Amino acid sequence: MPFVLRDFLMDFAAGAAGGTACVYCGQPLDTVKVKLQTFPTMYSGTADCIRQTLKNEGAAGLYKGSAPALLCNVSENCVLFVALGAMKKVVGNLAATDPEKLTDFQNACAGSLASIFSTLVVCPTELIKCRMQALTELKASGKLTGEAITGPASVARIMMKEGGLPSFFKGLTSTWAREMPGYFAFFYGYEFTRGMLTPEGKSKDDLGMLGTAFAGGTAGLFLWTLIFPVDVVKTRIQVLAAAGKQEGFIRTLQLILRAEGVGALYSGLMPCVMRTYPANGALFVAYEYTRKFLKSYDTEKEQF
């Protein structure tokens, strides 16, 4: 198998495994995050949001949007990690170094560049996911009426009917504004933590499952503490666009600050931080170990 194709397939498969693990470990708290970001005045906090969701919608309410979330995360991580492999080569060529031996900063730069491509997949799928997650609140606030929404397909159908293809890219600019610095912090946090946890005389690849999970969770912590205010604005734009024309990024930010204050930009941060260690820990464990398995399988095939 050609070297480039082999790397592509390995990164694609490992990214898909990581995305799947991330969704099933983090979906309930991601739903709570979206609800608090979009309708902060409806709940007194994380615990109240969970309690009311369980009371009104049952446990299934915490998994609303799982199908688009799975599509979003699997497609995002497939594109992200394939692009990451390519961007590592670009950064390696620019820095005249081996792509497998980049510094933490260089790895972070490669991650930031890779997010340019993954955002094009993230934006439409995440938009549908956010609207599914906030469906109950949209109806309760009177912001959503008309055609019944029964699932992701009906959300997509209504969006296509009302705004055409551009409606699937509402919030694209704010998603780029979130993803590029966010993934710089994400991959820097991951590589830095892996380096700190690696015993002297060993390589980062020798780090065990628990260390990899902790490094992945810390990567998520780096990402979300940096970009959370941008994510709040992006979520408002995407969810409230279901009720009609929504303002752009700067105008939405101004409206939030004027009406609700700076604190509203951090509404939903707690469930997001709580979610990052199980979700992103699972992501990197699944990614790294899938990649290791595929590499060892490929090596064994070459020996025969």
Side-chain angles (χ1 to χ4, degrees), residues 123 127 131 166-172 175 237-238 241 245-246:
C123 191
L127 197 159
R131 290 193 183 177
S167 66
F168 288 89
F169 292 92
K170 284 276 185 185
L172 179 62
T175 307
I237 291 170
Q238 292 184 321
K245 184 171 174 60
Q246 182 66 16

Side-chain angles (χ1 to χ4, degrees), residues 47-169:
D48 181 52
C49 184
I50 293 172
R51 183 181 60 79
Q52 287 200 46
T53 301
L54 290 172
K55 180 183 174 183
N56 297 327
E57 305 172 54
L62 293 172
Y63 282 91
K64 267 190 179 174
S66 289
L70 192 61
L71 176 63
C72 175
N73 272 271
V74 170
S75 55
E76 175 191 6
N77 283 290
C78 285
V79 175
L80 178 68
F81 284 105
V82 166
L84 179 67
M87 291 304 103
K88 279 185 175 182
K89 291 182 175 70
V90 170
V91 172
N93 287 336
L94 291 173
T97 188
D98 184 346
E100 296 298 320
K101 296 178 181 177
L102 299 179
T103 65
D104 294 347
F105 178 80
Q106 289 167 340
N107 272 306
C109 288
S112 182
L113 291 170
S115 72
I116 295 171
F117 303 97
S118 62
T119 298
L120 296 172
V121 175
V122 169
C123 191
T125 52
E126 194 173 67
L127 197 159
I128 295 170
K129 172 188 74 74
C130 288
R131 290 193 183 177
M132 285 294 297
Q133 288 172 319
L135 197 57
T136 301
E137 290 76 11
L138 280 167
K139 289 176 180 175
S141 63
K143 293 182 182 294
L144 188 65
T145 56
E147 187 176 340
I149 293 177
T150 56
S154 59
V155 172
R157 186 173 61 252
I158 291 169
M159 287 167 57
M160 194 68 184
K161 182 178 168 184
E162 293 179 351
L165 194 59
S167 66
F168 288 89
F169 292 92

Side-chain angles (χ1 to χ4, degrees), residues 226-253:
L226 173 68
I227 58 115
F228 200 80
V230 178
D231 188 62
V232 170
V233 178
K234 186 271 311 174
T235 301
R236 292 281 182 100
I237 291 170
Q238 292 184 321
V239 172
L240 296 181
K245 184 171 174 60
Q246 182 66 16
E247 303 287 353
F249 182 83
I250 299 299
R251 180 62 179 154
T252 301
L253 175 61

